[in-house]
Amino acid sequence: QQPVQSPQAVILREGEDAVINCSSSKALYSVHWYRQKHGEAPVFLMILLKGGEQKGHDKISASFNEKKQQSSLYLTASQLSYSGTYFCGTQNNNAGNMLTFGGGTRLMVKP
Amino acid sequence: DAGVIQSPRHEVTEMGQEVTLRCKPISGHNSLFWYRQTMMRGLELLIYFNNNVPIDDSGMPEDRFSAKMPNASFSTLKIQPSEPRDSAVYFCASSLSGGRPTNYGYTFGSGTRLTVV
């Protein structure tokens, strides 16, 4: 079953912050985050493993709450280059290393 | 490293024709995935190979779709006969994995935009 992402879309001004959420109805082994720019392939940002860890990548960080089966992606002091569609991909405990992707969150950063 | 290489980048074909999409994964990666992306359905997993063996093909829409991975450096996705509803962007991705949940991200190819008229 596909994880649910929210919001579906968000518009920011440069320098503003945003949070994108990803929720699953199944127990998770890990959560991946990807960014896709228009007309391009998804690009891997980070992976979070069960254990509730939080990771950072420049000014983009994420958390994973295994009990709630949720992950959140935090974008701080957004830059124009952050624009794109963000996807979470979830990996279940017993599903090999296949990812099921959420529907995506379209982020637009304006000057 | 050239990344995951897909060909062709664009394909326009008439309904009923056979279409073959190609993928060369990153050298050393042992997992390969075919995804399809549409506005309506998002990113859907079609089939997953581990060490050249198909592990899960439950996402393949119907018998018109088939995929092969004859060796570690090449995979094909074939649609025969093609239909307009097959129009989508098809992505190939590769990863390093032991067949279990992985600690590594996927690297996607640039995709093949398929249009069936």
Side-chain angles (χ1 to χ4, degrees), chain B residues 11-31:
Chain B
E11 177 81 35
V12 180
T13 190
E14 291 186 346
M15 182 173 63
Q17 296 297 305
E18 177 179 296
V19 175
T20 299
L21 311 182
R22 296 172 177 80
C23 175
K24 176 179 168 56
I26 289 175
S27 177
H29 281 189
N30 61 349
S31 292

Side-chain angles (χ1 to χ4, degrees), chain A residues 2 29-30 32 34 36 38-47 49 55 85 87 90-103 106, chain B residues 9 30-31 33 35 37 39 41-43 45 48-50 55-56 91 95-111 113:
Chain A
Q2 189 180 42
Y29 174 84
S30 70
H32 294 215
Y34 293 78
Q36 184 178 30
H38 183 69
E40 299 180 7
V43 174
F44 174 69
L45 294 177
M46 65 187 76
I47 180 173
L49 304 176
K55 271 195 170 182
T85 301
F87 293 94
T90 55
Q91 207 166 55
N92 301 116
N93 289 334
N94 300 313
N97 66 340
M98 299 181 296
L99 287 181
T100 303
F101 285 95
R106 185 171 292 182
Chain B
R9 286 296 308 273
N30 61 349
S31 292
F33 311 86
Y35 280 87
Q37 186 175 38
M39 287 295 292
R41 301 174 70 91
L43 273 164
L45 177 65
Y48 151 47
F49 293 88
N50 187 254
I55 302 298
D56 191 317
F91 286 106
S95 177
L96 186 62
S97 164
R100 299 169 299 164
T102 185
N103 296 350
Y104 298 93
Y106 289 9
T107 301
F108 282 82
S110 299
R113 182 173 294 276

